[in-house]
Amino acid sequence: MDTILTWITSNQQIIYIVVLMIFVGIEVIGHVPSVLHTPLMSGANAIHGVVIIGAIIVMGKAESENILALILGFLAVVLGTLNVVGGFVVTDRMLEMFKKKK
Amino acid sequence: MELDLLTVCYLLGSITFIVGLKMLSNPATARKGNLIAAGGMTLAIFGTIFLYKDDSGLNLQNFSWIFGAIIIGSVIGVLAAKKIKMTAMPEMVSMFNGMGGACAALISIVEFDHLSKNSLTDNQGTLMIIMLGCIIGTISFAGSMIAWGKLNGSIKDFSFKGQHFFNITLSLIILSLATYLALYETSISTIIFYCIFILAVLYGVFFVLPIGGADMPVVISLLNSFTGVAAACGGFLYDNKVMLTGGILVGAAGTLLTILMCKAMNRSLLNVLIGSFGGNVKNSNGEQTQSGQYKEISLSDAAVIMSYANKVIIVPGYGLAVAQAQHTCHELEKILTEKGVDVKYAIHPVAGRMPGHMNVLLAEADVSYDKLKEMEEANEEFSSTDVVLILGANDVVNPAAKTDTASPIYGMPILDVELAKNVIVNKRSMKPGYAGIENDLFYSKKTSMLFGDAKKVLQNLIAEIKSL
């Protein structure tokens, strides 16, 4: 019990962010028309590509003799970039088609 | 000072994610919202590369590796995203989602390696987050790959007896191994960690395998929110606010989106996951294999009744997407309009393989936005419609959803095409649709069948109408 309490106290800032973000996430897309489900999913898909920042940190901190970290980090950055770049480009392509006709 | 600048970058990044998502849920602002989020992401990425300092105040190194990886990823990403056909979009989203999951899993593996060089049990909190990121990321990766394979047809539905039991057992083993690893440090800790990794891959595969192909959008959306949570684990790990906000935001929004998608099909998430759609349907539907009489219509007859109709509503479905017939369909619409026929499209929220699939497809063919009617609107119009032309749609017009309580799609809102005077159904054969159930609509007196590939049939139909 004590450990849980200390953990909550020492991480309270993060816990606040998590709780608030859950509500923001639900609130923000609450009224999406079904037409936009796919682009929205694709857009959200691109946003979680933010995981690439973790990959960059891994890569940037890897010592040159740590082959495992170098290889896996490199792979992680490639995959993360794919997620981010591909995600945003695909979403843009989908949305391009929704633009108003002249 | 530099670090403070990075904090500002991250703050801006987080705000753009929220604003971007908000704008993405409105058709008028969606495109801008996507660009704003992309801008915030770029800022956060380059901020990290140049401004990040670790605990001992060191800048990041290995710039050539980082930029090399980013360039490779960008080139492949842009090419794949630009080259892909519009019909294959869902697969692409699934693929990119899997990449994100794999990225999160790899980070966890490297960080575990770091941690195991110190002491595992001294850093229980960190260890647990690493494992969580690894498990969720891996499931998301493996699941997305299976979903990708299912959508492009290379992987078939597969389920065996005791599948659910197997999955539950698998998840329990993963959980208990993870708990053990967190509590006791032994010489085989590393081996256990990799076992967890492999089991998570297995779990991801078997989690998605039995789920019917028609439910893949829901699954992808769910896996999407999984990856969000995995990214948030990374945020915990590095105390990185932008990863945390971005990850949780997508986790929450993705979960809600998943539920909204299920609602559009009037099914519960549990129902989708247990996969009662794919496997058990045949049993529950066994008795009603009454194959009544259906009648076919010739192209010239179809051409005649359509060109002399006052109002025609086209109901597109997956068949249209497969045949890549959206442009031909638009052509038919133009020709009929020239003849003074009022042509509209009725879009069921889950027509095709993804919600909004048909809108995207028809928009690609330049069909004007106000011709597309959503379900409620369309249902009001059917009774004043002369001809409904169904192009490769099936389950979304199946009256069993209204009448047959035993039907697996019972309760799903459908397009009431039967209210129209005539219904012409274009299908490739009498084979049932994705849900694997018979459709009584095809045997109705009002209905006539026009067999063949949607594109060919439409081309011939256009030729017939022109020659009238």
Side-chain angles (χ1 to χ4, degrees), chain A residues 14 17 26 28-29 35-36 38 41 45 47-48 53 55 58-60 62 76 79 83 88 92-93 97 101, chain B residues 27 31 34 41 61-62 81-82 84 86 97 99-100 103 107 224 227 236 238 240-241 253 256 354-355 363 374:
Chain A
I14 284 181
I17 295 181
I26 291 174
V28 144
I29 66 146
V35 184
L36 281 177
T38 305
M41 172 156 98
N45 176 41
I47 289 178
H48 71 48
I53 288 179
V58 164
M59 185 79 251
L79 296 180
N83 187 182
F88 281 121
D92 191 59
R93 256 191 78 186
M97 295 166 179
K101 299 275 131 51
Chain B
R31 200 163 177 211
N34 185 48
M41 182 73 80
Q61 340 147 21
N62 302 325
K82 289 260 181 205
I84 192 83
M86 222 45 219
N97 180 48
M99 298 299 106
C103 179
I107 293 172
N224 192 23
T227 315
F236 260 107
Y238 299 113
N240 185 313
K241 304 288 188 300
L256 180 66
M354 289 209 126
E374 293 209 19

Side-chain angles (χ1 to χ4, degrees), chain B residues 289-359:
Chain B
T289 41
Q290 45 95 293
S291 47
Q293 285 293 313
Y294 59 86
K295 58 174 187 290
E296 281 191 60
I297 187 169
S298 69
L299 274 166
S300 46
D301 284 351
V304 169
I305 63 167
M306 284 176 73
S307 33
Y308 290 103
N310 285 317
K311 188 163 159 190
V312 171
I313 293 187
I314 299 175
V315 179
Y318 190 60
L320 181 86
V322 171
Q324 287 283 316
Q326 62 272 32
H327 293 281
T328 330
C329 185
H330 182 48
E331 221 173 297
L332 175 74
E333 174 213 317
K334 279 192 288 191
I335 286 179
L336 286 175
T337 314
E338 274 166 27
K339 289 195 176 270
V341 184
D342 179 15
V343 186
K344 285 179 183 140
Y345 295 85
I347 312 287
H348 190 278
V350 295
R353 286 292 178 272
M354 289 209 126
H357 198 169
M358 292 301 129
N359 302 69

Side-chain angles (χ1 to χ4, degrees), chain B residues 254-320:
Chain B
T255 311
L256 180 66
L257 190 59
T258 313
I259 294 170
L260 287 178
M261 284 182 182
C262 288
K263 260 199 196 141
M265 299 191 283
N266 200 27
R267 304 187 31 222
S268 73
L269 182 58
L270 191 70
N271 183 272
V272 170
L273 293 185
I274 288 179
S276 61
F277 228 41
N280 307 334
V281 167
K282 279 156 206 116
N283 319 341
S284 72
N285 235 40
E287 320 95 65
Q288 50 145 251
T289 41
Q290 45 95 293
S291 47
Q293 285 293 313
Y294 59 86
K295 58 174 187 290
E296 281 191 60
I297 187 169
S298 69
L299 274 166
S300 46
D301 284 351
V304 169
I305 63 167
M306 284 176 73
S307 33
Y308 290 103
N310 285 317
K311 188 163 159 190
V312 171
I313 293 187
I314 299 175
V315 179
Y318 190 60
L320 181 86

Side-chain angles (χ1 to χ4, degrees), chain A residues 11-65:
Chain A
N11 290 299
Q12 51 170 312
Q13 215 192 1
I14 284 181
I15 295 170
Y16 269 96
I17 295 181
V18 169
V19 173
L20 290 176
M21 273 308 138
I22 291 176
F23 283 100
V24 171
I26 291 174
E27 202 51 47
V28 144
I29 66 146
H31 303 287
V32 56
S34 58
V35 184
L36 281 177
H37 278 175
T38 305
L40 182 66
M41 172 156 98
S42 177
N45 176 41
I47 289 178
H48 71 48
V50 73
V51 69
I52 189 191
I53 288 179
I56 292 174
I57 296 176
V58 164
M59 185 79 251
K61 283 204 296 195
E63 297 97 12
S64 48
E65 67 272 23

Side-chain angles (χ1 to χ4, degrees), chain B residues 393-468:
Chain B
N394 190 342
D395 298 324
V396 296
V397 292
N398 192 337
K402 284 196 157 167
T403 52
D404 179 11
T405 46
S407 170
I409 60 166
Y410 179 71
M412 178 171 94
I414 56 158
L415 292 165
D416 300 319
V417 291
E418 277 188 305
L419 297 176
K421 294 195 187 77
N422 292 289
V423 181
I424 299 176
V425 180
N426 166 240
K427 270 168 89 14
R428 273 171 298 183
S429 66
M430 276 312 278
K431 251 175 61 189
Y434 221 101
I437 32 186
E438 285 286 329
N439 193 339
D440 286 340
L441 176 74
F442 303 155
Y443 308 112
S444 151
K445 277 187 196 128
K446 282 180 182 173
T447 311
S448 28
M449 310 297 291
L450 193 55
F451 291 116
D453 172 82
K455 192 170 187 173
K456 282 208 190 82
V457 166
L458 283 174
Q459 279 165 346
N460 295 338
L461 202 55
I462 291 169
E464 287 284 345
I465 293 175
K466 275 184 181 159
S467 66
L468 275 179

Side-chain angles (χ1 to χ4, degrees), chain B residues 99-378:
Chain B
M99 298 299 106
C103 179
L106 289 176
I107 293 172
S108 293
I109 291 176
V110 176
E111 287 301 326
F112 178 82
D113 186 56
H114 273 294
L115 202 63
S116 63
K117 283 178 185 146
N118 303 315
S119 166
L120 289 178
T121 35
D122 286 350
N123 301 302
Q124 267 174 0
T126 318
L127 180 59
M128 265 147 74
I129 287 163
I130 290 177
M131 282 194 294
L132 199 64
C134 175
I135 295 170
I136 300 177
T138 311
I139 292 177
S140 180
F141 165 68
S144 297
M145 288 303 109
I146 298 293
W148 172 74
K150 277 200 170 194
L151 281 172
N152 71 17
S154 52
I155 298 175
K156 295 272 163 292
D157 291 2
F158 169 82
S159 59
F160 53 87
K161 236 182 163 182
Q163 173 110 33
H164 301 307
F165 179 72
F166 178 80
N167 280 0
I168 291 169
T169 319
L170 202 57
S171 57
L172 285 180
I173 294 176
I174 294 176
L175 279 182
S176 39
L177 277 180
T179 323
Y180 180 81
L181 191 61
L183 292 179
Y184 310 101
E185 180 160 16
T186 60
S187 53
I188 55 161
S189 284
T190 314
I191 300 173
I192 295 181
F193 181 79
Y194 285 108
C195 281
I196 293 178
F197 171 70
I198 291 165
L199 288 176
V201 172
L202 276 183
Y203 185 78
V205 170
F206 284 105
F207 171 67
V208 180
L209 261 187
I211 301 176
D215 288 330
M216 275 310 124
V218 179
V219 175
I220 296 173
S221 176
L222 187 69
L223 293 173
N224 192 23
S225 66
F226 275 19
T227 315
V229 176
C233 288
F236 260 107
L237 198 59
Y238 299 113
D239 196 16
N240 185 313
K241 304 288 188 300
V242 75
M243 285 174 80
L244 194 65
T245 37
I248 296 288
L249 197 63
V250 174
T255 311
L256 180 66
L257 190 59
T258 313
I259 294 170
L260 287 178
M261 284 182 182
C262 288
K263 260 199 196 141
M265 299 191 283
N266 200 27
R267 304 187 31 222
S268 73
L269 182 58
L270 191 70
N271 183 272
V272 170
L273 293 185
I274 288 179
S276 61
F277 228 41
N280 307 334
V281 167
K282 279 156 206 116
N283 319 341
S284 72
N285 235 40
E287 320 95 65
Q288 50 145 251
T289 41
Q290 45 95 293
S291 47
Q293 285 293 313
Y294 59 86
K295 58 174 187 290
E296 281 191 60
I297 187 169
S298 69
L299 274 166
S300 46
D301 284 351
V304 169
I305 63 167
M306 284 176 73
S307 33
Y308 290 103
N310 285 317
K311 188 163 159 190
V312 171
I313 293 187
I314 299 175
V315 179
Y318 190 60
L320 181 86
V322 171
Q324 287 283 316
Q326 62 272 32
H327 293 281
T328 330
C329 185
H330 182 48
E331 221 173 297
L332 175 74
E333 174 213 317
K334 279 192 288 191
I335 286 179
L336 286 175
T337 314
E338 274 166 27
K339 289 195 176 270
V341 184
D342 179 15
V343 186
K344 285 179 183 140
Y345 295 85
I347 312 287
H348 190 278
V350 295
R353 286 292 178 272
M354 289 209 126
H357 198 169
M358 292 301 129
N359 302 69
V360 174
L361 206 63
L362 291 172
E364 188 198 358
D366 267 345
V367 173
S368 104
Y369 196 68
D370 45 85
K371 291 238 178 226
L372 309 181
K373 299 292 167 201
E374 293 209 19
M375 184 170 58
E376 288 80 17
E377 244 181 301

